[in-house]
Amino acid sequence: MKAIVQYEFGDTSVLRYTDVEVPKIKEGECLIKVAYTSVNYADIKARIGNKNEGNFPLMLGLDAAGTIEEASANSPFSKGDRVIAFPKAGSYAESVVANESLIFKIPDSLSFEQAAAMPVVSILSYMLLHELGQVKTTDTIVIHSAAGGVGSMLIQLAKLFGVEKIIGTVGSLEKIDYVKKLGADSVYSYDTFAEEVLRETENKGANLIFDSVAGDVTTKSLDCLAFYGTLLQFGNSSGKAGTFTTNDVHSSCRNIKGFSLGTTRKQDPERLAPVAEKVIPLFDTKQITLPIAQVFNLSEAADAHRLIESRNYEGKVLLKV
């Protein structure tokens, strides 16, 4: 079968479109014929070696949408079932293996393209908003990197829930209209958001701030986080660590929570199925959608990575397999 693999860390030139063996399944696993897979910023970090140690040949990709090709005995899945999944060893391939606990059925009415856009960003966003953030309709929330996949999802889920004030931040002011169309009430740059949030809240600050950027953005977030507020830190796309001290939290009764969907998939995968059961119907009924920035063929994975690295896109980038 065809796949994208790499044998060293580096720029997009290390991504090779080549033939590999079809993987074999074990008990409790399924083989999935991939229709589409999404490209996430985590793929960029993994490609250049900032995410984990190299176990070459390495295949990138976190999630996939497709159909069951083969299931183990007594499996809840059957050949032909339409599913989304988090594969074991990458998703940039024509066929992948996933553990049954990380496979979720999708209805016939949900397109593979839209389904492929949702697994990481929708499940992560729902957990951040409702399980960790315990958002209330009366909250003022700030969503960093609001034009990205998770940002686009957080805005729509918050709007659907009825959150009173949704503030987005972007790296490029050209993305303001896009973010507002998703449902944000106001959008600011990383340079000015802290002052603007305080202005909008009469110096009270935001109740929830969703931070996947880290670095200076984390510091500025603490400048506009309300008493008893929560900063949810779930990424560092800036490539820099955010810093804070105990003085930033104890006297103000504020919280800083960290979360990783990747860690949760490995350590507590059973937490994901109940969330998938909630978000899949929201996509199927089009209560929420994810704009598709661009679809590349599998062989064009390097081009997809370059687009992600340029940050000159809105929504999700997909690979058609």
Side-chain angles (χ1 to χ4, degrees):
M1 68 173 188
K2 292 294 186 182
I4 298 288
V5 297
Q6 64 183 90
Y7 296 87
E8 60 182 324
F9 294 129
D11 61 20
T12 56
S13 66
V14 303
L15 299 177
R16 300 185 184 181
Y17 182 61
T18 187
D19 289 301
V20 299
E21 293 294 323
V22 176
K24 306 293 185 184
I25 66 169
K26 300 176 183 176
E27 185 66 27
E29 297 177 344
C30 293
L31 182 68
I32 300 167
K33 181 176 177 59
V34 179
Y36 290 87
T37 179
S38 70
V39 182
N40 295 280
Y41 194 79
D43 299 346
I44 309 301
K45 292 171 65 178
R47 189 200 74 220
I48 62 179
N50 284 357
K51 193 169 177 64
N52 47 33
E53 295 181 0
N55 184 15
F56 301 113
L58 175 66
M59 185 190 298
L60 303 176
L62 300 177
D63 53 17
T67 53
I68 299 293
E69 275 192 329
E70 183 184 353
S72 55
N74 304 313
S75 173
F77 299 97
S78 303
K79 183 178 175 63
D81 283 347
R82 303 174 82 251
V83 297
I84 54 174
F86 296 103
K88 286 175 56 180
S91 59
Y92 290 15
E94 292 179 335
S95 295
V96 296
V97 169
N99 190 286
E100 290 173 351
S101 64
L102 294 172
I103 303 173
F104 315 104
K105 293 181 182 179
I106 59 173
D108 292 342
S109 49
L110 181 61
S111 72
F112 279 134
E113 186 173 292
Q114 190 63 207
M118 65 169 288
V120 165
V121 296
S122 64
I123 292 175
L124 171 58
S125 297
Y126 192 96
M127 295 179 80
L128 288 170
L129 198 68
H130 293 291
E131 294 187 11
L132 286 95
Q134 298 179 330
V135 67
K136 300 187 293 293
T137 57
T138 54
D139 283 341
T140 292
I141 69 173
V142 174
I143 298 169
H144 292 311
S145 191
V150 178
S152 299
M153 194 78 269
L154 279 168
I155 291 171
Q156 291 183 77
L157 286 172
K159 192 75 173 178
L160 187 65
F161 186 68
V163 173
E164 198 167 276
K165 186 181 286 291
I166 304 169
I167 300 172
T169 69
V170 291
S172 168
L173 296 180
E174 295 176 354
K175 299 178 180 180
I176 287 179
D177 288 343
Y178 168 81
V179 174
K180 285 188 174 180
K181 285 179 183 177
L182 290 172
D185 298 297
S186 49
V187 188
Y188 303 110
S189 71
Y190 295 139
D191 294 328
T192 64
F193 79 88
E195 296 87 347
E196 297 290 357
V197 169
L198 290 173
R199 180 184 60 79
E200 286 205 28
T201 59
E202 299 179 343
N203 287 318
K204 293 178 181 178
N207 307 104
L208 282 173
I209 299 180
F210 298 89
D211 176 18
S212 61
V213 182
D216 293 339
V217 168
T218 298
T219 303
K220 292 178 180 178
S221 295
L222 290 169
D223 291 339
C224 63
L225 182 64
F227 276 64
Y228 301 95
T230 299
L231 172 65
L232 287 152
Q233 215 297 317
F234 61 99
N236 65 330
S237 61
S238 68
K240 301 176 182 178
T243 59
F244 61 92
T245 69
T246 53
N247 289 336
D248 290 320
V249 293
H250 78 270
S251 60
S252 58
C253 304
R254 301 187 297 181
N255 303 288
I256 297 177
K257 294 183 178 180
F259 186 72
S260 164
L261 187 64
T263 299
T264 305
R265 290 198 307 270
K266 294 174 183 176
Q267 300 293 333
D268 195 7
E270 287 74 20
R271 287 183 64 177
L272 303 191
V275 181
E277 290 174 3
K278 292 181 174 73
V279 296
I280 289 171
L282 296 178
F283 275 84
D284 186 38
T285 57
K286 295 181 171 58
Q287 293 182 69
I288 52 177
T289 60
L290 265 172
I292 306 300
Q294 195 165 339
V295 179
F296 295 86
N297 291 323
L298 179 62
S299 59
E300 301 170 319
D303 294 328
H305 275 228
R306 283 189 282 270
L307 177 60
I308 295 285
E309 288 176 296
S310 76
R311 301 186 186 277
N312 188 29
Y313 69 98
E314 298 166 345
K316 289 294 292 181
V317 175
L318 303 181
L319 297 178
K320 183 177 181 180
V321 182

